[in-house]
C-alpha cells in the first residue's frame, strides 16, 4: 500500500479508539502499533505526528504518546458585519473592482470527494510524478555547502543559466529571475506592466487563474478570440487600437484550455502588432515540458525571437513535476527587468534556497530526461484513450482540436446544454469535470467542458470516468 494512504488509515484507526483513553492516558507503544497493524515504524511515527499536529496527541521523547487534553470550549464569535462596509468602501474609488474570484482556480486545485474520479486536475497524478528523483535531489541539495543560507535575490546563478538556455535566443542568465511557481510569475508580471484600471488583452478562452490575477489587481481583461492556430492577429490588432492596452497575455504553446499552438506565420505577427502598439506580451509557457510523444518539433518560445524586449516570459518546472515543486522563471530584457525584480523582492524576498538547489540537482540528473520521456509517452497514450472513449460513448461532445501537448481536452457541448447542470450531474455520477464558463472573460460563444487526463490513476480510471460522464449526460444533456 502507498505510504501516504497507510499513514492516513492508521491515524483514522487511532482516532476511532481515542475514547479508550482518558486525557493524559498513554497510547500503545510504537512497537505494539507496528505489530498490531502490520505497518512500518515510519508509518507509525508519521501517523502519530499527524495526530499531534491535529492537537489530539502529545508525544514525549522517551516516554511515548499520550492523549491530549480537550481544547477549551470555543467562545461565541463576535460581530464581523462591519467588515462588509469596510471592504466595500475600500474599493469605492477603484475604476475596476478588485474582487478576488478564486472559483476557476479552485475547480482544478480542490480534491473531489472520496470515490469521485478526478477529470479536473491541473497536475500529474502522484504515480506520474518523479517522486524518487525529487526526493533524491532534495536530499543531495540539503547537503550542499550553504544550502540553507540566503540565496541571491534574483535566484541561484546556475539555475538562472539553466532557464536561459531552455528559452534560447538572446536570453541570458542576467535577464532571468527565479520565482515561486508560474502563478507567482504571472502575478508579478501583471503588477509590473499594467496600472489598476487598465485594460489587459487576454486570449479567449484562457486560464482562469490569470483572469483572477488580473481582476484582483484591478485590471480589465479584454478577450481576443483564438482558433486552432492560436490567437487571431487581426483581432489582436483591433483590440489594441480599441482599448489602448499595453499588455497581452498569451499561451503560444498548448494553450489552456484549447491546446492550440500558435502557428508559425502568426508568431512574428503577434510580436509586430504588440511592438507597434508599444505593448508587452506576457508569454505563459506553462506546458512546454508536457509535449506528447507523437508531437513534431516544438517552436521556440516567443522570447527567443524577441530582441526588443517585447516579451516577458514565464516558464515553470511545476507542471512536469509536482504541485509542491514551485520553481519557475521570469525572463525579460530592458528596463522592465528592474521593475519585475523590485516587485518580486517586495512580495516574496526570494524563493527558498533548498528548493532552488533541489531544482538544480533534479534537472542535472540522469533521471530528468527519463522522466520527461516517460510522461511524454503516458500523456500521449492517455489523450488517445480519452479521445477514443469519448468518440464511442459521447459523440455529441465535439473536440474541435486534438492537442499535441498538455494534459486536457476542450470539448464543445451542443447548443442549449447547461454546463452547470452537466457538471452537477457528473458529480452525482462520481466524476468531477470542469465547466467552460470560467475560461471566458466575457460572454462565451457556446457551452464547453474541460476534461483532464493527467490526474487520474491510470487507464482503467480514465475509461470509468468517461462511462460515468455518459451517465451524467443521459441525465442532464439536451433532450433534442
Amino acid at each position: 500500500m502507498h505510504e501516504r494512504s497507510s499513514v492516513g488509515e492508521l491515524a483514522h484507526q487511532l482516532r476511532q479508539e481515542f475514547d479508550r483513553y482518558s486525557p493524559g492516558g498513554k497510547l500503545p507503544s510504537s512497537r505494539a502499533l507496528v505489530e498490531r497493524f502490520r505497518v512500518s515504524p515510519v508509518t507509525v511515527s508519521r501517523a502519530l505526528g499527524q495526530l499531534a499536529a491535529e492537537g489530539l496527541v502529545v508525544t514525549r521523547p522517551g516516554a511515548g504518546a499520550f492523549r491530549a487534553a480537550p481544547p477549551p470550549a470555543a467562545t461565541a464569535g463576535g460581530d464581523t458585519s462591519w467588515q462588509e462596509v469596510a471592504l466595500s468602501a475600500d474599493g469605492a474609488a477603484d475604476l475596476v473592482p478588485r474582487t478576488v474570484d478564486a472559483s476557476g482556480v479552485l475547480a482544478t486545485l480542490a480534491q473531489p470527494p472520496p470515490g469521485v474520479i478526478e477529470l479536473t486536475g491541473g497536475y500529474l497524478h502522484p504515480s506520474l510524478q518523479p517522486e524518487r528523483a525529487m526526493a533524491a535531489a532534495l536530499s543531495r541539495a540539503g547537503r550542499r555547502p550553504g544550502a540553507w543560507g540566503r540565496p541571491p535575490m534574483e535566484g541561484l546563478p546556475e539555475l538562472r543559466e539553466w532557464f536561459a538556455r531552455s528559452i534560447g535566443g538572446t536570453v541570458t542568465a542576467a535577464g532571468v529571475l527565479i520565482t515561486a511557481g508560474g502563478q507567482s510569475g504571472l502575478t508579478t508580471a501583471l503588477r509590473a506592466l499594467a496600472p489598476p484600471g487598465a485594460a489587459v488583452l487576454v486570449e479567449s478562452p484562457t486560464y482562469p487563474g490569470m483572469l483572477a490575477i488580473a481582476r484582483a489587481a484591478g485590471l480589465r481583461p479584454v478577450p481576443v478570440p483564438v482558433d486552432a492556430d492560436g490567437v487571431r492577429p487581426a483581432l489582436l490588432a483591433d483590440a489594441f487600437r480599441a482599448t489602448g492596452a499595453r499588455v497581452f497575455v498569451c499561451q503560444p504553446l498548448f494553450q489552456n484550455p484549447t491546446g492550440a499552438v500558435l502557428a508559425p506565420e502568426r508568431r512574428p505577427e503577434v510580436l509586430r502588432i504588440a511592438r507597434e502598439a508599444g505593448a508587452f506580451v506576457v508569454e505563459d509557457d506553462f506546458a512546454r515540458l508536457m509535449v506528447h510523444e507523437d508531437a513534431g518539433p516544438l517552436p521556440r518560445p516567443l522570447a527567443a525571437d524577441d530582441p526588443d524586449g517585447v516579451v516577458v516570459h514565464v516558464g515553470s518546472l511545476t507542471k512536469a513535476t509536482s504541485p509542491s515543486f514551485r520553481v519557475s522563471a521570469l525572463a525579460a530584457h530592458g528596463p522592465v527587468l528592474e521593475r519585475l525584480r523590485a516587485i518580486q523582492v517586495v512580495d516574496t524576498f526570494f524563493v527558498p534556497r533548498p528548493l532552488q538547489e533541489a531544482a538544480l540537482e533534479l534537472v542535472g540528473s540522469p533521471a530528468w530526461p527519463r522522466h520527461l520521456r516517460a510522461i511524454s509517452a503516458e500523456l500521449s497514450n492517455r489523450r488517445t484513450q480519452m479521445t477514443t472513449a469519448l468518440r464511442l460513448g459521447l459523440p455529441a461532445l465535439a473536440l474541435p482540436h486534438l492537442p499535441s501537448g498538455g494534459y486536457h481536452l476542450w470539448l464543445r457541448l451542443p447548443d442549449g446544454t447547461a454546463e452547470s447542470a452537466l457538471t452537477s450531474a457528473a458529480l452525482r455520477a462520481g466524476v468531477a469535470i470542469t465547466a467552460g464558463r470560467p475560461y471566458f472573460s466575457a460572454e462565451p460563444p457556446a457551452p464547453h467542458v474541460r476534461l483532464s487526463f493527467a490526474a487520474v490513476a491510470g487507464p482503467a480510471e480514465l475509461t470509468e470516468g468517461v462511462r460515468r460522464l455518459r451517465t451524467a449526460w443521459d441525465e442532464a444533456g439536451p433532450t433534442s
Side-chain angles (χ1 to χ4, degrees):
M1 182 178 293
H2 199 282
E3 179 69 30
R4 283 180 295 190
S5 61
S6 298
V7 170
E9 289 177 8
L10 178 56
H12 175 72
Q13 289 286 341
L14 294 176
R15 283 191 211 96
Q16 298 295 103
E17 299 178 1
F18 266 25
D19 288 342
R20 299 181 184 179
Y21 311 101
S22 59
K26 186 175 182 181
L27 274 64
S29 68
S30 295
R31 178 177 295 180
L33 294 175
V34 166
E35 294 176 354
R36 177 184 167 193
F37 292 101
R38 298 183 181 277
V39 294
S40 71
V42 172
T43 298
V44 171
S45 175
R46 290 180 177 175
L48 292 175
Q50 181 174 320
L51 295 175
E54 295 171 7
L56 300 176
V57 165
V58 174
T59 57
R60 299 172 189 160
F66 302 82
R67 180 177 175 179
T75 57
D79 180 7
T80 60
S81 58
W82 65 271
Q83 293 185 4
E84 186 175 353
V85 177
L87 292 173
S88 300
D90 284 347
D94 288 348
L95 295 174
V96 179
R98 296 194 183 200
T99 54
V100 182
D101 181 4
S103 58
V105 181
L106 291 174
T108 59
L109 290 180
Q111 290 187 333
V116 173
I117 294 175
E118 184 180 3
L119 299 185
T120 55
Y123 297 101
L124 296 175
H125 187 270
S127 63
L128 300 181
Q129 296 172 15
E131 288 191 341
R132 290 186 178 179
M134 288 189 295
L138 192 59
S139 176
R140 292 193 301 270
R143 295 193 296 270
R144 285 187 172 194
W148 296 92
R150 184 177 65 190
M153 297 295 181
E154 299 85 354
L156 297 180
E158 301 90 342
L159 188 56
R160 295 165 69 199
E161 176 63 35
W162 183 86
F163 272 109
R165 288 198 308 272
S166 300
I167 299 167
T170 60
V171 178
T172 66
V176 173
L177 304 173
I178 303 301
T179 63
Q183 190 78 353
S184 174
L186 288 172
T187 301
T188 298
L190 286 181
R191 284 188 57 199
L193 301 177
V200 56
L201 305 187
V202 301
E203 294 171 316
S204 182
T206 191
Y207 167 51
M210 188 275 298
L211 294 177
I213 292 170
R215 288 169 177 147
L219 304 176
R220 180 165 54 91
V222 176
V224 183
V226 301
D227 58 23
D229 291 322
V231 69
R232 297 167 61 182
L235 295 179
L236 178 63
D238 289 344
F240 272 124
R241 283 192 295 268
T243 63
R246 292 293 179 265
V247 181
F248 169 51
V249 186
C250 66
Q251 296 175 327
L253 188 66
F254 312 137
Q255 198 259 357
N256 182 8
T258 66
V261 176
L262 188 61
E265 65 274 12
R266 292 187 182 184
R267 291 167 55 87
E269 276 291 284
V270 167
L271 295 180
R272 179 189 62 79
I273 290 166
R275 180 69 182 86
E276 290 178 356
F280 289 96
V281 173
V282 177
E283 178 185 28
D284 181 9
D285 200 22
F286 75 106
R288 180 166 294 272
L289 299 177
M290 302 183 79
V291 59
H292 295 171
E293 188 178 47
D294 55 359
L298 295 185
R300 302 198 306 177
L302 290 180
D305 299 320
D306 166 45
D308 299 325
V310 173
V311 178
V312 173
H313 175 93
V314 182
S316 177
L317 293 174
T318 305
K319 288 294 186 185
T321 53
S322 159
S324 290
F325 205 79
R326 306 204 64 77
V327 177
S328 63
L330 266 174
H333 176 61
V336 71
L337 184 64
E338 182 54 35
R339 184 179 294 187
L340 292 166
R341 177 182 179 276
I343 289 177
Q344 174 171 308
V345 168
V346 169
D347 282 353
T348 60
F349 290 176
F350 46 77
V351 176
R353 182 163 188 152
L355 196 56
Q356 294 191 54
E357 298 279 9
L360 269 175
E361 289 282 354
L362 178 64
V363 299
S365 71
W368 181 241
R370 288 199 301 269
H371 167 66
L372 293 182
R373 288 193 297 270
I375 62 171
S376 177
E378 181 63 20
L379 290 175
S380 179
N381 291 337
R382 289 182 176 210
R383 179 211 59 200
T384 301
Q385 181 189 354
M386 177 177 272
T387 303
T388 302
L390 287 168
R391 252 189 223 119
L392 294 174
L394 282 163
L397 276 61
L399 179 62
H401 174 69
L402 185 67
S404 57
Y407 52 89
H408 57 263
L409 300 179
W410 179 243
L411 299 159
R412 175 168 176 159
L413 307 178
D415 291 342
T417 307
E419 289 179 3
S420 58
L422 181 59
T423 55
S424 297
L427 205 54
R428 290 193 294 272
V431 59
I433 63 175
T434 306
R437 179 65 186 88
Y439 291 83
F440 293 92
S441 61
E443 292 78 9
H448 292 80
V449 293
R450 196 192 80 154
L451 304 182
S452 169
F453 45 79
V456 295
E461 195 168 80
L462 198 60
T463 301
E464 175 63 15
V466 174
R467 188 195 68 78
R468 294 182 187 184
L469 182 56
R470 173 70 211 207
T471 300
W473 180 257
D474 291 340
E475 174 189 337
T479 56
S480 59

